[in-house]
Amino acid sequence: MATQTIVILDFGSQYTQLIARRIREQNVFSVVLPCTVPLAEIKALNPLGLILSGGPSSVYDADAPAADPGILALGVPVLGICYGLHFIVHHMGGKVLSAPKREYGHAEVQIEDSTAKLFAGLPEVLQVWMSHGDEAGQLPAGFRRIAVSANALAAIENVERRIWAVQFHPEVHHTPLGSKLIKNFIFNICGAAGDWTPAHFIESTVNAIRDRVGKGHVICGLSGGVDSSVAAVLVHKAIGSQLTCIFVNNGVLRKNEFASVQKNLREKLGLNIVAVDASERFLAQLAGVTDPETKRKRIGAEFIAVFDDEATRIAEQTGGVDWLVQGTLYPDVIESSSVKGPSQTIKSHHNVGGLPLEMRLKLIEPLRDLFKDEVRRIGRDLGMPEDILGRQPFPGPGLAVRILGEVTPERVALLQEADEIVVAEIKSAGLYNSIWQSFAVLLPVMSVGVMGDQRTYAYTAAVRAVHSEDGMTADWTPLPYEVLKRISSRIVNEVRGINRVVYDITSKPPGTIEWE
Ligand code: XMP
C-alpha cells in the first residue's frame, strides 16, 4: 500500500518542522522539502496535499526563495501559511503589500464564513499567533476572504482551484485550535485516511529493506542509544541473520553499559552482536590528552579503525558486506537540506562513527523519515524494552568529554561510580523521563575535606541536569533539594576519591550541555 503523503515546502520558517509534526500526530505522513525542489520531485511523491510554510522573506525581496509557481497548478489541495499566503497571492495575480503595522504575537481572528471547509467545527472567533510584516492587499481572481484580524486579512480560499491560505500560524501551540484547522485540511479537504500508524510504518519499512537488500549482508554500529538500537531491530526484523551489529566498548561508556546493552539487544531481542572490548586501544589513544577537540578526534579516528577491522573480519566470514545501517533521523535530514544558512561549528564531531571511507558501503537509514518521539513509538511497537527507548542522549565520545583534563582508567572508574548514583537517584525520584540529560562531570580540582577524623584531599564532581527540546538550547533543571542532597551525600560517601559535589546552574547558551 502506497503511503499517503502531505508535502510541506519550506520557505525558511522556524516553525516548518512543527507543521510536519502536527500532521504526523494525526497518523498522516508528511515530508518537508526545500521550496526550491524541482516540480518533478514533488510529483514523484504523488502528494495528497501541499502546504507552503511561512518564511522570513518578502515576496518582493531580490533573494526571495525561488520556488516554482507550478506548485500551485499540481491539482492537489494547497494550504499556504503566512509567507505561503503571500506566495499564492503574488503568483496568482494579486498584490502583496508591506503592512502599515507589523503584526507579531497573539491576535484574534474573526471567521467570516463558518461554512468554509477549513473552519469546520471552529468557533467564530479564533485565538491565533501572527508573525508577519507583509499582507495581502488585492486578492487574485477567484479568491475570496474568509477571515480577518484587527489589522489584516487572515484567511482566503479558492474552492475551485482547491487553494486555501491563512496569514496566522496554525501549527504553533499559541494557536490553541490550530490542530483542528490542520485536521480540516488534511482530512476534510485532502481526504487523508489517517493510517500512518507505527504498525504501517514497520510493515512498509521492513518490506522495503527486504527488497533492497536481497541476499546481501548488512552491518550496523550499535551505540546503545535509542536510534541505532531501533534501526538495528527494524533491519533485523527484515533480514534476520543477514545483519551483524558491531558494538564497541570505547572505554568511556557508562558503568555496566557494555554488558547491559548486549543483554538487552542480544538476549531480549535476538540481535546478532559482535561485541568488541577495545577499551585499552581507546584509553591508550587518550593518554596524556587534555584538549577536548583532540579527545573527540582521537576517539572518532579510533572508532573508525576498530569498526573497520571488525567489518573486514565479518566480510571475510560472510563472503562480503554490502550495506551499512545508520540511525539518521529526520531533523538531521531537514537540517542538511534546509534553506537556512550554515550554522557555526561549536564542537566538532557530534556524530562519532560514520562510514569507514574505504569500505564504500551502501547506506540503509530506516529512521530518516522520523522524529525522535516517533522512533520511540516505533520501538515500543517492536517490543523493545523501556530502558533502551527512554534513555537520555549520551555523547559519542562518552565520559571522555565529562572528565576534564586527562582521561585515565582511574578517573573513568570514579566518574562511572558518580554518574551511576546521579542517574539512579534521578530515576528513583521519578524525574528521569522528564529531564533531557542528567549526569556527573569529573573536575580535576582537588579540595580538602574531612571524613570521620580523617583529612581528605580529593576530586570534585559537578552534577548537571538540563531541560531541552532538541539539545540546541537548554535550561538547567531546578532539581528538588532533597534529590540534590541524596546525590551529594551518596557520591561523597560511596565514591572514594571524590569529596566535594557542586551543581551546575548554567543554561545553554551561553554554556553548553557537556562541559567539553
Ligand atoms: P553541547 O555540549 O554541544 O551538547 O551543548 C548538545 C548535545 O549534543 C551531545 N553531544 C555530543 N554527541 N558527540 C555526540 O554524539 C559529541 O561529540 C557530542 N558533544 C555533545 C550532548 O550530549 C547534548 O545532547
Side-chain angles (χ1 to χ4, degrees):
M1 183 177 42
T3 302
Q4 292 187 325
T5 305
I6 301 281
V7 169
I8 300 161
L9 293 181
D10 181 16
F11 286 87
S13 162
Q14 53 180 325
Y15 304 132
T16 306
Q17 287 203 28
L18 275 180
I19 307 174
R21 301 192 61 95
R22 292 288 101 86
I23 295 172
R24 288 158 170 239
E25 281 162 13
Q26 304 302 327
N27 291 335
V28 176
F29 182 59
S30 65
V31 283
V32 176
L33 300 176
C35 61
T36 48
V37 69
L39 216 47
E41 232 174 272
I42 303 176
K43 281 188 189 151
L45 289 169
N46 193 19
L48 200 61
L50 202 61
I51 296 187
L52 316 184
S53 86
S57 313
S58 159
V59 285
Y60 296 114
D61 285 349
D63 58 353
D68 186 335
I71 55 177
L72 300 174
L74 288 173
V76 299
V78 175
L79 173 66
I81 295 177
C82 195
Y83 181 87
L85 180 147
H86 307 156
F87 183 88
I88 292 166
V89 169
H90 180 64
H91 287 283
M92 298 193 79
K95 272 207 173 64
V96 175
L97 310 170
S98 180
K101 193 160 164 243
R102 257 183 68 85
E103 223 180 352
Y104 184 82
H106 294 280
E108 236 171 45
V109 159
Q110 179 75 41
I111 292 179
E112 295 180 304
D113 182 354
S114 56
T115 66
K117 274 187 172 178
L118 200 57
F119 295 141
L122 288 171
E124 269 180 24
V125 176
L126 275 186
Q127 303 303 321
V128 304
W129 184 256
M130 289 280 190
S131 168
H132 64 107
D134 288 357
E135 64 178 356
Q138 189 189 319
L139 292 185
F143 279 81
R144 66 185 190 112
R145 193 176 84 180
I146 50 174
V148 280
S149 72
N151 297 312
L153 165 156
I156 56 174
E157 70 172 13
N158 180 335
V159 176
E160 206 180 315
R161 300 285 299 265
R162 302 173 83 196
I163 298 179
W164 285 260
V166 290
Q167 180 58 71
F168 54 90
H169 288 273
E171 69 276 26
V172 304
H173 75 260
H174 298 300
T175 302
L177 294 175
S179 283
K180 173 73 181 141
L181 188 150
I182 291 176
K183 270 163 77 175
N184 283 342
F185 179 70
I186 56 180
F187 292 118
N188 301 352
I189 294 177
C190 298
D195 58 1
W196 189 67
T197 56
H200 172 101
F201 174 85
I202 292 169
E203 191 193 327
S204 61
T205 308
V206 161
N207 289 339
I209 295 171
R210 234 178 245 146
D211 286 349
R212 274 185 82 196
V213 169
K215 294 200 177 337
H217 202 90
V218 183
I219 54 171
C220 172
L222 281 181
S223 69
V226 182
D227 310 340
S228 65
S229 305
V230 174
V233 171
L234 262 176
V235 176
H236 175 75
K237 194 173 163 69
I239 56 163
S241 61
Q242 285 163 261
L243 169 71
T244 308
C245 300
I246 302 173
F247 178 40
V248 178
N249 184 356
N250 59 8
V252 280
L253 298 178
R254 290 188 146 136
K255 190 177 172 191
N256 297 330
E257 182 116 36
F258 191 51
S260 72
V261 168
Q262 289 182 60
K263 193 171 159 68
N264 269 325
L265 293 175
R266 183 188 284 141
E267 292 174 22
K268 293 195 190 153
L269 295 167
L271 296 193
N272 173 20
I273 301 180
V274 174
V276 193
D277 189 349
S279 325
E280 283 181 15
R281 275 175 75 164
F282 281 89
L283 290 172
Q285 284 297 320
L286 291 171
V289 177
T290 55
D291 173 59
E293 284 299 284
T294 313
K295 285 182 187 173
R296 276 196 174 74
K297 292 208 170 83
R298 295 259 174 114
I299 293 174
E302 196 58 26
F303 182 87
I304 290 180
V306 172
F307 195 84
D308 229 357
D309 287 353
E310 288 310 314
T312 309
R313 234 174 29 80
I314 294 166
E316 280 163 16
Q317 285 168 1
T318 58
V321 169
D322 318 277
W323 302 86
L324 175 74
V325 181
Q326 285 200 327
T328 319
L329 300 194
Y330 197 47
D332 310 324
V333 176
I334 301 182
E335 198 61 32
S336 58
S337 68
S338 88
V339 290
K340 287 164 222 139
S343 57
Q344 205 193 344
T345 305
I346 308 290
K347 294 177 186 180
S348 68
H349 232 294
H350 263 217
N351 282 307
V352 172
L355 188 63
L357 286 177
E358 62 275 29
M359 293 186 56
R360 304 202 191 273
L361 299 175
K362 289 173 276 184
L363 282 185
I364 303 179
E365 298 177 305
L367 311 178
R368 63 177 281 126
D369 285 334
L370 303 185
F371 290 106
K372 190 90 176 182
D373 55 323
E374 293 169 343
V375 173
R376 292 202 167 101
R377 265 172 71 196
I378 299 297
R380 273 184 203 115
D381 247 56
L382 287 165
M384 294 175 63
E386 270 316 301
D387 50 349
I388 294 183
L389 298 177
R391 224 182 76 135
Q392 294 175 353
F394 186 65
L399 299 181
V401 290
R402 295 178 182 172
I403 294 173
L404 277 71
E406 190 185 357
V407 178
T408 62
E410 298 71 34
R411 288 180 175 189
V412 172
L414 276 184
L415 183 57
Q416 281 178 333
E417 296 299 327
D419 178 71
E420 198 201 21
I421 292 171
V422 173
V423 173
E425 289 301 330
I426 298 270
K427 279 188 176 163
S428 82
L431 297 171
Y432 186 81
N433 291 331
S434 59
I435 289 175
W436 172 261
Q437 276 173 296
S438 44
F439 54 87
V441 180
L442 187 72
L443 308 187
V445 175
M446 313 272 297
S447 72
V448 173
V450 54
M451 262 199 127
D453 292 330
Q454 300 282 317
R455 174 187 188 275
T456 59
Y457 186 58
Y459 287 119
T460 308
V463 175
R464 180 109 171 106
V466 295
H467 286 307
S468 175
E469 288 286 322
D470 52 11
M472 304 293 285
T473 61
D475 285 327
W476 64 274
T477 308
L479 285 181
Y481 282 140
E482 282 309 312
V483 177
L484 286 171
K485 204 164 149 183
R486 270 196 306 278
I487 289 175
S488 157
S489 138
R490 281 195 58 196
I491 291 179
V492 172
N493 282 296
E494 296 173 31
V495 187
R496 205 173 256 271
I498 297 179
N499 67 351
R500 194 170 292 273
V501 177
V502 297
Y503 191 49
D504 181 354
I505 52 168
T506 321
S507 289
K508 171 183 180 175
T512 51
I513 295 176
E514 305 292 344
W515 275 44
E516 288 195 337

